[in-house]
Amino acid sequence: MPTNFINCYEDVSRAGAYSTLEFANTYYLAYRDLPAIIAEHVTGTRALDFGCGAGRSTRFLRKLGFNVTGVDISEDMLRIARATDPSGDYRLVPGDNFSELEAGAFDLVLSAFTFDNIPGAMKASIFCGLRELLAPKGTIVSVVSAPEIYTHEWASFTTKDFPKNAKARSGEVVRIIVTDHQDRRPVEDIICTDESYRALYRDAGLEAVQMLKPLAKGDEPYSWVNETSIAPWVIYALKPGT
Ligand SMILES: C[S@@+](CC[C@H](N)C(=O)[O-])C[C@H]1O[C@@H](n2cnc3c(N)ncnc32)[C@H](O)[C@@H]1O
């Protein structure tokens, strides 16, 4: 586990750039299928947006009719989330301690890209913590970067300057640049394979009831690069195991 890993979203300028992203280009594919996945697996309206950032994913859930609490470790991100959505509920959390949130209270926990920035050992304790927050029939929907995102070019990202990404093993740092916003400093993520995620779920007592790797169809109004043949994201629906 990289002990010196820094969450690049604790940064005023990066938070400002990130807050301009909406649902276009490669990000479109991360959100396109969420309403159907949520409709299939979630009953009830109480939601936690784990790693809400500047609130894009929280506002998305609010528009779907959820009563949402957004949590994040970055005050810079939360400041923007609150300013954009003053009636929303956005809270700073320590990162892997959810004691201020009500156990068993959430029908849905959404995590959109949050685990891309969390080192391995911490991922394990966070999945256990999120499981405790779920209502008995609750569901975690986790959108993560596919390992392939770090070795290809995309409508929203470039990785060609980082050939070392191709050699990174699960749990190691990889770099990627978001081309949809102004901040062209590389983002440092932790690459994590499907195998590693499934081991984490098993250890946390979670069962993957659905996995989706979204591909573009080709008729969307975006200039796709690899999105019609390689999935940039992986979406998991997770339930407490029996
Ligand atoms: C890539 S952003 C995604 C934000 C938002 N979900 C969206 O879709 O726009 C990831 C966010 O996760 C947050 N994050 C990283 N580790 C976290 C942790 N342990 N607990 C809560 N938030 C975390 C970061 O601060 C950042 O705001």
Side-chain angles (χ1 to χ4, degrees), residues 11-28:
D11 176 296
V12 178
S13 147
R14 173 105 56 194
Y18 200 86
S19 72
T20 64
L21 298 174
E22 285 295 333
F23 304 100
N25 295 323
T26 315
Y27 287 106
Y28 164 79

Side-chain angles (χ1 to χ4, degrees), residues 7 9 18 31 50-53 56-57 72-73 95 112-114 118:
N7 178 16
Y9 296 101
Y18 200 86
Y31 282 93
F50 172 65
C52 63
R56 168 176 55 170
S57 41
D72 206 283
I73 52 172
F113 320 115
T114 312
I118 297 176

